[in-house]
Amino acid sequence: MKLNKLFIPLAIGAMTLSACSSDDPDEGKSVIVTPNEEQTEFDKWLEVNYAIPYNIDFKYRYKETESDYDYYTVPARYDDAIKMAHLVKYLCVETYDEVAGTDFTRRYFPKMFFLIGEWEYRNNGTYVLGTAEGGRKILLAGLNHLKDIFAKGPEVMNELYFKTIHHEFTHIMNQTKDIPADFQTVTGTGYVGDMWSEEPYDTEYLSRGFITDYSQNNYKEDFAEMLSTYITNDAETWNGWLEKADKAAAEKAEKTGETTTKPSQLINTKLDIVRRYMSETFNIDIDALRETVQRRQNDIFTGKVDLTDITVK
């Protein structure tokens, strides 16, 4: 059985931040206009939990103009959209509220989510998990598979949904302040562009000093993968990958006689740069961020959060 490889295309558009006070948004008033449609209880819940506090437009109704005409797309099921709205709020939006403050989330978090029911299947054996446009809009695909995916636990949920959100949010932060130049040089000769999904790069990425296969695309994707992968996985999982990386590299060196820097050192060097960047630029401790993500994730999968409640409080 051949498994399709997961692919996350992330279109990074330009985002201009103005320092002019006259251009600053009024954070006490929502700029989102509700469509001229019959308002459901879910719409009211979204207004109170997304639009008013964050000016985030959470689109669950199918809008052809928001979809990609290159793919056959279908609407997301209503009940699954409700669950996803809770998940994004609790695992992403409120995570940054807790660690960095609500003002930070209001300023930087993407202002639109658009849901579709099916994955966007490509003709090369891959399918699109989600896309992002210029730090403004995030598409989450495959909503109609949510029940089965949720049953498989947090690892699969993260890979298919939430790591994508954290990844794109990293790009948005990078648009505010550039990635440090020293990050680009750690594994600078190892980036392979679109060949990241081909042999041998799709299997040997750890031993090459990359935390995921997609990290090999370019240094910007590497930076985003480093942060999003680190915070959505616990220490045991992360350290297991580093041990696996060094073991694979040692086995290769034994066969070829070539010795190189341990891949775990390369990955840790890049992680230290990510840690410094987040601390100095946004006053965010990525270890505190990971602890918050892991705790909130545990709350979800132990049933402490009702993912169906749309009571307006």
Side-chain angles (χ1 to χ4, degrees):
M1 176 179 180
K2 186 176 182 298
L3 298 178
N4 288 345
K5 191 163 189 63
L6 304 178
F7 180 71
I8 313 174
L10 295 164
I12 309 170
M15 180 173 118
T16 302
L17 300 176
S18 174
C20 178
S21 60
S22 63
D23 293 333
D24 291 339
D26 180 1
E27 295 178 345
K29 180 179 179 181
S30 174
V31 298
I32 297 172
V33 179
T34 304
N36 187 22
E37 298 171 327
E38 182 179 352
Q39 193 175 50
T40 67
E41 292 303 309
F42 185 30
D43 290 319
K44 297 174 184 177
W45 186 91
L46 288 172
E47 183 174 5
V48 170
N49 289 277
Y50 277 92
I52 293 175
Y54 304 105
N55 280 330
I56 295 175
D57 188 2
F58 197 93
K59 291 184 178 293
Y60 68 95
R61 290 185 175 90
Y62 186 80
K63 299 288 184 183
E64 187 180 48
T65 54
E66 298 291 352
S67 61
D68 190 329
Y69 293 112
D70 290 336
Y71 302 96
Y72 292 106
T73 55
V74 300
R77 285 194 288 258
Y78 182 79
D79 290 344
D80 290 328
I82 291 174
K83 292 176 182 176
M84 182 56 72
H86 276 285
L87 289 166
V88 171
K89 176 176 178 285
Y90 194 78
L91 294 176
C92 299
V93 177
E94 293 180 344
T95 289
Y96 288 100
D97 281 353
E98 181 176 338
V99 174
T102 305
D103 289 344
F104 170 88
T105 312
R106 285 172 177 162
R107 181 176 182 183
Y108 295 111
F109 210 74
K111 295 306 177 187
M112 181 190 296
F113 283 83
F114 177 59
L115 312 182
I116 58 175
E118 191 50 82
W119 309 113
E120 293 181 338
Y121 293 96
R122 299 163 64 87
N123 60 8
N124 65 349
T126 67
Y127 54 97
V128 177
L129 301 175
T131 60
E133 299 175 6
R136 183 187 68 89
K137 167 187 167 184
I138 289 182
L139 163 73
L140 292 178
L143 260 288
N144 295 347
H145 299 282
L146 182 59
K147 180 179 179 181
D148 292 337
I149 292 169
F150 190 87
K152 295 178 180 179
E155 181 179 350
V156 179
M157 282 289 292
N158 278 324
E159 187 61 37
L160 297 182
Y161 295 120
F162 299 107
K163 189 163 78 73
T164 303
I165 297 172
H166 290 294
H167 178 116
E168 173 57 20
F169 193 29
T170 305
H171 284 315
I172 293 172
M173 290 185 283
N174 293 159
Q175 291 168 12
T176 301
K177 184 172 181 179
D178 289 340
I179 295 169
D182 53 348
F183 183 91
Q184 303 177 36
T185 64
V186 180
T187 49
T189 61
Y191 298 112
V192 296
D194 290 339
M195 291 192 298
W196 67 268
S197 62
E198 302 174 7
E199 294 183 357
Y201 307 114
D202 60 342
T203 58
E204 297 183 2
Y205 54 90
L206 282 173
S207 63
R208 302 182 70 247
F210 295 93
I211 200 61
T212 69
D213 50 2
Y214 189 54
S215 296
Q216 301 166 107
N217 189 291
N218 61 62
Y219 77 89
K220 293 180 180 179
E221 302 304 336
D222 192 8
F223 193 97
E225 284 290 275
M226 285 292 297
L227 180 57
S228 59
T229 303
Y230 184 74
I231 65 176
T232 54
N233 289 276
D234 59 26
E236 181 179 359
T237 301
W238 182 271
N239 292 333
W241 286 330
L242 298 187
E243 292 175 5
K244 182 179 179 181
D246 286 347
K247 181 179 179 180
E251 290 174 351
K252 183 177 181 180
E254 186 176 353
K255 292 179 181 179
T256 63
E258 298 178 359
T259 58
T260 58
T261 303
K262 285 186 176 182
S264 63
Q265 291 179 307
L266 298 174
I267 293 171
N268 279 328
T269 297
K270 290 188 287 187
L271 181 63
D272 286 341
I273 297 171
V274 172
R275 179 179 285 109
R276 185 186 74 223
Y277 170 91
M278 292 295 290
S279 176
E280 294 179 353
T281 306
F282 299 106
N283 196 30
I284 293 177
D285 180 338
I286 64 171
D287 294 297
L289 180 59
R290 178 165 72 166
E291 187 278 329
T292 303
V293 169
Q294 297 298 311
R295 170 170 43 79
R296 286 177 169 269
Q297 187 173 272
N298 184 66
D299 289 345
I300 292 291
F301 284 92
T302 55
K304 293 182 180 180
V305 180
D306 187 347
L307 301 179
T308 63
D309 182 15
I310 51 175
T311 304
V312 174
K313 301 176 182 178

